[in-house]
Amino acid sequence: MSSSDSVIRIAIDGPSGAGKSTIAKAVAAKLGVEYVDTGAMYRAVGYKMKREGIDPRDGKRLEAALADTDIDFQNGVICLDGEDVSGRIRTPEISEAASVYSAIPAVREKLVRAQREIGHRRSVVMDGRDIGTNVFPDAQFKFYLTADAEERARRRFLELQEKGGTETMEQVLEDIRQRDYNDTHRELNPLRKAEDAIEVDSTDMSPQEVIDAIYRRIKDGKN
């Protein structure tokens, strides 16, 4: 599926906490193609800007920092300026930062260029907020993965607990709801379901059931 004359792009969009990364990674593995976690790319930018104290309204400093930023994937690991930051970007604080900075045109332009470059070179499964509507509107397969806010918060809460997080369920649910509002109301490429995307509601589905459903659609060649 990855030969130069048969590049296939699979877009999986949806709200925060829907399990897009887990599902996209598993589907990519089953298909034997590259997995690109675009949400991690935005989280990495948010992490760097907060670490360096760059105000999102300070366009000059922001653009200078972006020009000096390298974000890449190495064996599924997100690397920021050559450093593995995958263990530092999955917190509510960085979630909020990612949402804030992702609304800035300069940030989106830089990362969308990087995403398109990856997807034009080799077959990919790419997940995010606007892959099927903006990054790859011509993707051969588009899915919109969602679940109830409460169920998404429950899943995220359990993940954070396993990592030693101290957030309460109420805090995580509020974070999910705030992310939903920010993502669907931002001026630039807001979160929405592409007209030709297949919606998958995972509220009452196990991860494996979701993986199998998406995989079957792709193997059957039906979008």
Side-chain angles (χ1 to χ4, degrees):
M1 292 182 74
S2 58
S3 61
S4 60
D5 59 347
S6 60
V7 171
I8 293 178
R9 290 176 287 276
I10 300 160
I12 301 180
D13 291 312
S16 177
K20 297 186 302 296
S21 297
T22 298
I23 301 304
K25 188 182 298 182
V27 170
K30 282 177 73 79
L31 293 169
V33 303
E34 186 78 21
Y35 163 63
V36 178
D37 180 356
T38 62
M41 297 171 77
Y42 285 102
R43 285 171 179 271
V45 167
Y47 171 77
K48 178 172 181 173
M49 299 307 163
K50 283 190 70 69
R51 184 183 65 187
E52 298 191 1
I54 297 176
D55 191 305
R57 296 165 295 186
D58 190 342
K60 203 166 190 178
R61 283 193 69 201
L62 179 66
E63 291 193 19
L66 285 174
D68 194 36
T69 296
D70 178 68
I71 296 178
D72 197 7
F73 282 88
Q74 297 177 11
N75 299 317
V77 172
I78 182 74
C79 293
L80 172 66
D81 300 328
E83 182 182 9
D84 176 3
V85 295
S86 53
R88 304 176 219 166
I89 61 173
R90 302 289 178 182
T91 67
E93 182 183 22
I94 299 304
S95 290
E96 179 62 24
S99 188
V100 169
Y101 287 96
S102 68
I104 300 171
V107 173
R108 299 200 68 81
E109 286 167 11
K110 179 181 179 70
L111 295 187
V112 167
R113 278 198 307 271
Q115 292 154 15
R116 286 175 176 159
E117 180 182 339
I118 294 170
H120 281 298
R121 281 189 280 113
R122 56 189 184 272
S123 293
V124 296
V125 177
M126 199 173 287
D127 72 286
R129 302 290 188 275
D130 63 348
I131 308 305
T133 56
N134 176 51
V135 180
F136 288 120
D138 61 343
Q140 291 93 330
F141 297 94
K142 300 179 186 178
F143 299 92
Y144 188 84
L145 180 61
T146 188
D148 290 342
E150 289 76 10
E151 174 61 17
R152 288 184 279 130
R154 185 189 70 80
R155 296 172 185 172
R156 180 62 59 81
F157 176 67
L158 293 176
E159 286 178 7
L160 292 170
Q161 276 197 320
E162 288 178 3
K163 297 175 182 177
T166 58
E167 298 84 1
T168 66
M169 177 64 181
E170 290 71 22
Q171 288 174 322
V172 177
L173 178 57
E174 177 57 31
D175 173 60
I176 288 285
R177 287 173 171 160
Q178 187 62 52
R179 285 296 302 275
D180 285 353
Y181 182 86
N182 291 348
D183 290 339
T184 56
H185 287 77
R186 68 188 184 204
E187 184 175 349
L188 186 66
N189 299 315
L191 168 67
R192 63 183 176 82
K193 176 187 171 186
E195 290 184 4
D196 54 347
I198 297 168
E199 180 167 333
V200 179
D201 188 331
S202 70
T203 301
D204 298 315
M205 297 174 71
S206 70
Q208 192 60 52
E209 287 174 330
V210 177
I211 293 163
D212 291 343
I214 291 176
Y215 179 75
R216 282 195 302 270
R217 285 277 192 168
I218 295 169
K219 295 303 286 184
D220 290 343
K222 298 175 182 177
N223 190 30

